[in-house]
Amino acid sequence: MIERRINISGLSALAVISDIHGNSWALDAVLEDIERRGITNIVNLGDSIYGPLDPVGTIKRLSSKKIKSIKGNQDRVLLTPTTEVLKSKTYVYVKESLTSNDLSWIENMPATLSFFMEEFFLCHGTPTSDETCLLEDVTSHGVFLRSSEYILRDLKDINEPVILCAHSHIPRTVYLSTGQIVINPGSIGLPAYSDDFPFPHQMESGCPHANYTILSKQYDKWIIEHIIIPYDWKTASKRALENGREDWAKWILYGRV
Ligand SMILES: [Mn+2]
């Protein structure tokens, strides 16, 4: 069979990564998989650095590969920490390992981005908030897939046909009545976590693997592949433990809270 890949926008495949959280072991496994597939366009939706893992190694990899990255809420707190964040030993660990070059690299990332001839819109949370999930309702009685109506309300000013969002660490794709597709690639480096904002809640991918997504254009339609990659999670988990984060060590090892 002759392959007929129609490449209308000039971009035939895009790898979408996010929420690395300093896990360079997981990032290496994902970058290797992307390279093996011959994909050269990579975008990164933020929360790249923060975590008790390998912040410096992560920045090195992202900047040397020239990966187009936006800021997440946990990249932003490294520049403007709240008093509560200042007390966190993970914040101190990450902040002390960063050089002023690293900090300006973080500062230079935009919060959102319209990418490739306005085909893609990139945001960490929603277009206007980096700490609100676009596709999940976080309530006092659990986390649910958000209604299309609420998602569309947050996307009222966004005309791009494909919206790439992150933050929840849950890989999923949602199709809207406007014909727009919203894709969350899940997390590379932290497959589960618990958090208190806006309500105490848990997010679990259910496995320790790194998650990312590939979009490839076939006959002018995007084929979406959510990819699950095994990597050396024992080593990453051990690093979290060495840095005093038993909770992170468990989340990384099991993909469960
Ligand atoms: Mn986030």
Side-chain angles (χ1 to χ4, degrees):
M1 200 178 118
I2 300 169
E3 191 190 39
R4 292 184 60 209
R5 184 175 285 210
I6 298 173
N7 191 358
I8 286 170
S9 65
L11 184 93
S12 58
L14 178 69
V16 187
I17 66 174
S18 191
D19 293 271
I20 302 161
H21 284 281
N23 191 336
S24 60
W25 300 273
L27 178 59
D28 279 342
V30 166
L31 292 177
E32 199 179 298
D33 188 64
I34 293 171
E35 198 175 325
R36 186 179 61 76
R37 294 166 191 264
I39 296 171
T40 50
N41 295 295
I42 307 174
V43 292
N44 166 29
L45 308 179
D47 277 7
S48 304
I49 313 305
Y50 195 94
L53 300 168
D54 180 20
V56 174
T58 301
I59 293 185
K60 253 189 211 130
R61 286 158 175 83
L62 290 174
S63 47
S64 75
K65 288 253 177 193
K66 296 199 170 26
I67 295 171
K68 210 171 275 296
S69 299
I70 60 170
K71 252 194 223 101
N73 56 312
Q74 297 216 300
D75 300 312
R76 177 173 50 80
V77 297
L78 290 167
L79 305 168
T80 49
T82 58
T83 27
E84 202 184 327
V85 168
L86 281 170
K87 284 183 264 174
S88 152
K89 57 184 156 193
T90 302
Y91 169 81
V92 174
Y93 165 73
V94 175
K95 191 73 183 230
E96 281 179 355
S97 43
L98 299 178
T99 63
S100 58
N101 272 351
D102 295 335
L103 285 169
S104 45
W105 182 83
I106 294 170
E107 201 159 6
N108 285 329
M109 285 189 284
T112 63
L113 193 66
S114 180
F115 179 64
F116 216 83
M117 322 269 287
E118 300 184 350
E119 178 97 18
F120 303 101
F121 181 84
L122 282 60
C123 55
H124 181 72
T126 71
T128 55
S129 163
D130 61 13
E131 51 188 1
T132 306
C133 296
L134 182 57
L135 299 181
E136 289 83 14
D137 256 331
V138 178
T139 74
S140 55
H141 51 285
V143 179
F144 306 96
L145 176 64
R146 212 160 169 223
S147 74
S148 296
E149 193 191 334
Y150 279 24
I151 298 170
L152 281 165
R153 201 180 55 185
D154 273 344
L155 295 177
K156 65 177 169 21
D157 298 324
I158 308 301
N159 296 316
E160 283 82 351
V162 183
I163 294 103
L164 306 173
C165 68
H167 187 58
S168 71
H169 298 203
I170 304 296
R172 62 176 14 138
T173 295
V174 171
Y175 184 71
L176 298 169
S177 58
T178 51
Q180 287 167 303
I181 301 170
V182 190
I183 300 163
N184 185 327
S187 170
I188 290 214
L190 188 62
Y193 65 87
S194 61
D195 191 23
D196 290 332
F197 180 83
F199 296 100
H201 65 280
Q202 304 179 342
M203 294 287 192
E204 300 177 300
S205 78
C207 66
H209 301 63
N211 284 278
Y212 84 102
T213 297
I214 290 173
L215 285 88
S216 51
K217 206 160 211 179
Q218 303 282 349
Y219 300 101
D220 90 350
K221 300 255 188 286
W222 289 109
I223 308 283
I224 302 151
E225 295 171 80
H226 289 287
I227 317 272
I228 295 171
I229 300 287
Y231 76 98
D232 183 7
W233 46 71
K234 281 188 183 158
T235 299
S237 173
K238 195 165 150 264
R239 177 66 65 87
L241 209 53
E242 285 161 4
N243 284 317
R245 293 299 301 257
E246 247 178 83
D247 50 356
W248 279 65
K250 186 183 160 205
W251 299 336
I252 288 168
L253 204 51
Y254 301 109
R256 293 281 193 174
V257 170

